[in-house]
Amino acid sequence: MTEIERIVLRTILDSRGNPTVEAEVYTCCGFGRAAAPSGASTGTWEAKVRPPREAIAAARENLVPELVGLDAADQVGFDYALRDADGTADFSAIGANVAVALSLACAKAAANATGTELFRYLGGAFTQRTPLPLGNVIGGGAHAANATDIQEFLVIPTGASCAEEAVFANAAVHKKVKELLIAEGRGCGKGDEGAWAPRIADTEAFDLLSRAVDAVSDELKISISMGIDVAATEMWDGSAYTYTGIKRSTEDQIAYIAELVDRYGLVYVEDPLQEEDFEGFAEITAQVGDRCMICGDDLYVTNVERITQGIETGASNCVLIKPNQIGTLTDTFESVHLAKSQGMDTVMSHRSGETTDETIAHLATAFECRLLKTGVVGGERIAKLNELIRIEEMI
């Protein structure tokens, strides 16, 4: 019932208009489809992608024949076959974009063959709740030119009672920010993830978002909290963090981030320091980790070895999880499991270059991640948010 009979690979568009890999896995009575996302700001230690058309051509000739006939229900075995065929530590031979699309499509085919929703197939009978959505409302950095230095200004509807209420609360904040910008004569476009990208300073963005959050919180009568993704590696020039008109040393950056946490009541800070600074992360976590999630993205790249280093150094209390950073569903699960076993929060995340693939909504629920980071608006983002609402109905 779950023996793989056919695999299809094709090139499709992503949200930035770039080509990406889509995979389909067929069994006699099951079907799974998944696509690879891509990041604008990527960690040095991420698994490596290959140009989609080149990678697909190579996979059709060499990889696919090795996978047909495998059991889709043996996810670990399927992912091992991908690793074995690749033969490198970072999927640079077959391409992590091919690997992650195939790995996720395999799991979806197995779930479909058994008539089970993916979140239930992976999470089991005791999956009981969905994560809260974490949404990017104002953006700059590598996602939008001539906007804020900090890459993402985020909201979390911490007082929401259900996924549906949470999704619409984030959307309401996004709308309110637009209203405030227009009222101030600062109409603007959007960045890669659908966040507003006005030409304003970080301090103005904090003020703008605070006013929007307060207004929507009062209107909906639920608490909404703020967070940021600093994407500090993008600012690091080798000796200092470069902001518009100012450079900050590592010590200054730590003090600055700690001040922001208390001034704006931030409950989530992602990548406050560059990707190799485990000690700096540990210092920030020691200072504000009792009241704020300090999350490593480029620091960990969903890699068990780097998460282990973070655990040993006390670098953070939260791990961002991106399946395409590591290449397979099995590796993704192991990263989540390791982090949670050490009491760390986990956040399942999209990438800035996305498709309408909704798989991460299922993974976030199945793996009991605290948050699902997937933007607020835009077709490729709402595909995941709407799927989260549907999943909640099925739990």
Side-chain angles (χ1 to χ4, degrees):
M1 187 169 69
T2 53
E3 180 178 323
I4 296 172
E5 296 184 343
R6 187 162 70 100
I7 291 176
V8 175
L9 292 169
R10 66 173 64 87
T11 305
I12 63 170
L13 271 176
D14 76 6
S15 57
R16 283 196 285 253
N18 295 325
T20 191
V21 177
E22 182 175 80
E24 293 178 350
V25 172
Y26 294 83
T27 72
C28 70
C29 48
F31 163 73
R33 174 187 292 152
S38 62
S41 59
T42 56
T44 300
W45 302 103
E46 288 192 26
K48 308 305 180 193
V49 301
R50 289 182 64 182
R53 292 186 176 86
E54 171 188 304
I56 287 172
R60 284 172 178 159
E61 181 175 353
N62 302 312
L63 176 61
V64 169
E66 299 295 321
L67 302 177
V68 171
L70 297 182
D71 184 357
D74 179 9
Q75 186 70 42
V76 174
F78 184 88
D79 290 342
Y80 177 82
L82 291 173
R83 288 253 173 231
D84 188 53
D86 179 80
T88 72
D90 58 8
F91 276 120
S92 54
I94 65 174
N97 42 356
V98 165
V100 75
L102 283 168
S103 181
L104 297 178
C106 173
K108 295 172 86 170
N112 183 248
T114 58
T116 309
E117 293 290 337
L118 182 62
F119 77 90
R120 188 70 74 192
Y121 173 76
L122 295 173
F126 298 104
T127 301
Q128 295 182 338
R129 60 187 173 87
T130 54
L132 283 176
L134 171 64
N136 182 8
V137 177
I138 301 174
H143 293 169
N146 303 315
T148 55
D149 291 325
I150 291 175
Q151 187 157 285
E152 299 175 5
F153 293 78
L154 306 152
V155 289
I156 311 169
T158 43
S161 60
C162 63
E164 180 181 352
E165 185 177 45
V167 166
F168 282 96
N170 281 358
V173 174
H174 191 272
K175 285 184 178 179
K176 181 60 68 176
V177 167
K178 179 183 180 182
E179 291 175 14
L180 294 173
L181 284 167
I182 291 175
E184 296 172 3
R186 292 177 166 178
C188 65
K190 298 176 183 175
D192 282 351
E193 297 180 2
W196 302 110
R199 293 188 177 187
I200 59 176
D202 289 351
T203 52
E204 295 174 287
F206 276 117
D207 175 68
L208 179 66
L209 186 56
S210 294
R211 286 185 283 139
V213 163
D214 289 345
V216 174
S217 292
D218 289 344
E219 179 183 342
L220 301 182
K221 302 191 184 312
I222 64 170
S223 59
I224 300 172
S225 302
M226 292 167 50
I228 53 174
D229 175 5
V230 183
T233 299
E234 300 291 326
M235 299 179 174
W236 181 245
D237 67 4
S239 60
Y241 294 92
T242 303
Y243 291 77
T244 302
I246 187 172
K247 289 194 174 187
R248 292 186 169 93
S249 67
T250 296
E251 292 73 21
D252 291 342
Q253 177 78 351
I254 291 171
Y256 175 58
I257 297 299
E259 179 189 355
L260 292 177
V261 168
D262 289 335
R263 181 186 302 173
Y264 297 105
L266 304 181
V267 300
Y268 178 88
V269 175
E270 181 181 318
D271 280 355
L273 294 163
Q274 55 96 359
E275 62 189 350
E276 301 297 348
D277 194 354
F278 284 86
E279 292 183 1
F281 263 80
E283 179 58 33
I284 289 182
T285 301
Q287 290 189 23
V288 301
D290 62 333
R291 52 194 181 278
C292 180
M293 286 177 272
I294 300 299
C295 189
D297 175 15
D298 292 345
L299 184 74
Y300 297 133
V301 294
T302 320
N303 183 300
V304 163
E305 291 183 7
R306 293 185 67 84
I307 295 171
T308 299
Q309 188 176 351
I311 292 167
E312 292 171 349
T313 57
S316 76
N317 56 15
C318 185
V319 179
L320 202 74
I321 301 294
K322 295 174 174 173
N324 81 317
Q325 284 182 326
I326 194 66
T328 73
L329 181 57
T330 300
D331 289 298
T332 301
F333 169 78
E334 290 176 350
S335 293
V336 173
H337 179 70
L338 174 61
K340 290 172 71 71
S341 71
Q342 299 299 310
M344 304 168 81
D345 284 315
T346 55
V347 180
M348 185 65 63
S349 177
H350 65 164
R351 303 304 298 258
S352 53
E354 269 290 347
T355 69
T356 52
D357 188 314
E358 78 294 344
T359 307
I360 61 170
H362 287 261
L363 301 187
T365 304
F367 296 163
E368 297 185 328
C369 295
R370 184 171 179 180
L371 302 172
L372 171 63
K373 184 184 181 190
T374 185
V376 178
V377 297
E380 71 281 2
R381 317 292 160 183
I382 65 171
K384 298 157 184 60
L385 294 169
N386 289 341
E387 186 70 0
L388 193 68
I389 293 172
R390 298 184 193 104
I391 290 170
E392 185 173 62
E393 287 181 358
M394 292 184 275
I395 288 179

